[in-house]
Amino acid sequence: MSVIEVSELRKSYAGRAVVDGVSFAVEEGEIFGVLGPNGAGKTTTVECVEGLRVPDAGRVRVTGLDPVTDHEEVARVLGAQLQQSELQPKLTVREALELYASFYPRPADWRPLAERLGLTGKLTTRFAKLSGGQKQRLFIALALVGNPRVVVLDELTTGLDPRARRDTWQLIEDVRAGGVTVLLVTHFMEEAQRLCDRIAVIDQGRIAALDTPQGLIRRSAGATVISFTPSAPLDERELNALPDLASVTSKDGRITLSGTDTTVNAVITLLARHHITAHQLRVSDATLDDAFLDLTEAAA
């Protein structure tokens, strides 16, 4: 079942199309990622989903409801953590949770929610005294305190250190395990690759690709990367003639090729034929970074 449906969404500012015909659907129980460069239209898209922006054209539905005309009903089923969020500095964690819970007719019990998110020991701490990771945990709690069916998380881990970021990833997985559908907006490739079931890549206001993380990676020009330092020079013509070769670079005597498994087998055969040893040989799969660069460069 589609919890979120977006069809031919369009939004312009001062005559410039920021979102230009975006369409996607988020299925119940998914972690659905929205990925793209800065200024690609990600946040405007999700703000239309949240009902914070009125689309110029197109159709948006959240559990079958229009976020604009049915805004009150949508607010009861959708929780949101905005890209830029702040609370009154002197507000304590307990006061914030109690305040947000009072906005809903059937809120979640914020006490086990606070415990689940590691906030129990901070209930009397004022917002201004919380660390960046603690603030993010609080914003997740505030997004979930209304017992939503779907939660939108926009650039959740920006500014967090690596440990806090990974702790937050685990929290997102726990949220999904609790039955909540997650719409995750991010520009961190590792985050999207680890968490998302499917990803929509938005570039210049349009969907450049929509697939699983592995599906996007398979679209990369070079799905496999091999690098090594040869014990003797290799003929550039032979390297460029390798099957399925996507790219080849040489720096400080080290050669890096991207292609497929066929490319890897061919270069190993080439080295053996010339009795050349490959020092510090490394073979790795392409990442979502590689796919992202290919997709956004192709759309540029």
Side-chain angles (χ1 to χ4, degrees):
M1 174 183 176
S2 295
V3 176
I4 297 173
E5 297 176 8
V6 177
S7 179
E8 290 298 317
L9 179 66
R10 300 180 188 277
K11 184 68 179 177
S12 297
Y13 298 110
R16 184 176 71 87
V18 177
V19 179
D20 189 11
V22 165
S23 299
F24 61 86
V26 181
E27 305 305 316
E28 189 164 16
E30 274 194 303
I31 299 179
F32 186 93
V34 178
L35 191 63
N38 291 333
K42 305 186 302 295
T43 293
T44 298
T45 297
V46 297
E47 286 178 347
C48 290
V49 171
E50 294 161 335
L52 301 177
R53 304 272 182 190
V54 179
D56 297 334
R59 183 178 186 271
V60 180
R61 293 292 183 270
V62 178
T63 65
L65 301 167
D66 186 318
V68 177
T69 60
D70 304 316
H71 186 74
E72 187 172 332
E73 290 89 342
V74 169
R76 293 173 183 166
V77 298
L78 184 145
Q81 172 269 326
L82 304 179
Q83 187 180 83
Q84 295 182 334
S85 302
E86 286 293 331
L87 294 175
Q88 204 278 338
K90 294 185 178 180
L91 199 68
T92 67
V93 170
R94 179 192 297 273
E95 290 168 341
L97 289 166
E98 289 178 341
L99 175 64
Y100 274 65
S102 71
F103 298 156
Y104 300 95
R106 290 179 295 277
D109 184 345
W110 61 262
R111 293 165 185 83
L113 186 58
E115 183 176 357
R116 177 181 169 194
L117 294 170
L119 294 170
T120 302
K122 296 293 180 180
L123 292 178
T124 60
T125 303
R126 299 186 189 278
F127 178 77
K129 298 295 184 180
L130 297 175
S131 69
Q134 290 162 352
K135 288 179 179 179
Q136 295 296 53
R137 289 170 181 266
L138 176 57
F139 287 130
I140 293 175
L142 297 179
L144 295 173
V145 77
N147 262 330
R149 285 182 60 188
V150 58
V151 63
V152 179
L153 305 174
D154 191 352
E155 303 289 6
L156 181 67
T157 59
T158 297
L160 298 187
D161 62 64
R163 180 176 296 277
R165 181 173 295 128
R166 280 165 175 75
D167 288 344
T168 304
W169 292 349
Q170 183 60 56
L171 292 176
I172 295 171
E173 291 173 330
D174 291 345
V175 165
R176 191 261 291 276
V180 179
T181 301
V182 178
L183 179 59
L184 177 68
V185 183
T186 183
H187 64 263
F188 289 114
M189 304 301 142
E190 184 184 0
E191 180 168 287
Q193 186 167 347
R194 167 173 166 169
L195 294 176
C196 297
D197 298 299
R198 290 187 301 141
I199 297 170
V201 179
I202 298 182
D203 191 29
Q204 300 180 29
R206 300 178 179 179
I207 298 284
L210 199 165
D211 206 335
T212 64
Q214 286 305 313
L216 293 174
I217 290 169
R218 284 194 295 269
R219 298 187 190 195
S220 176
T224 304
V225 178
I226 179 171
S227 62
F228 58 92
T229 301
S231 59
L234 280 165
D235 190 326
E236 288 186 13
R237 290 172 298 180
E238 289 189 280
L239 288 174
N240 288 318
L242 292 170
D244 295 345
L245 181 70
S247 67
V248 56
T249 60
S250 178
K251 183 178 180 181
D252 299 328
R254 187 165 183 81
I255 295 172
T256 301
L257 306 102
S258 61
T260 66
D261 289 343
T262 301
T263 314
V264 173
N265 292 332
V267 75
I268 291 173
T269 300
L270 175 64
L271 292 168
R273 187 166 65 245
H274 292 291
H275 305 289
I276 293 175
T277 302
H279 296 293
Q280 297 178 316
L281 177 68
R282 300 286 185 273
V283 179
S284 61
D285 291 330
T287 65
L288 196 57
D289 271 305
D290 301 310
F292 177 79
L293 290 173
D294 286 344
L295 288 165
T296 53
E297 286 173 1

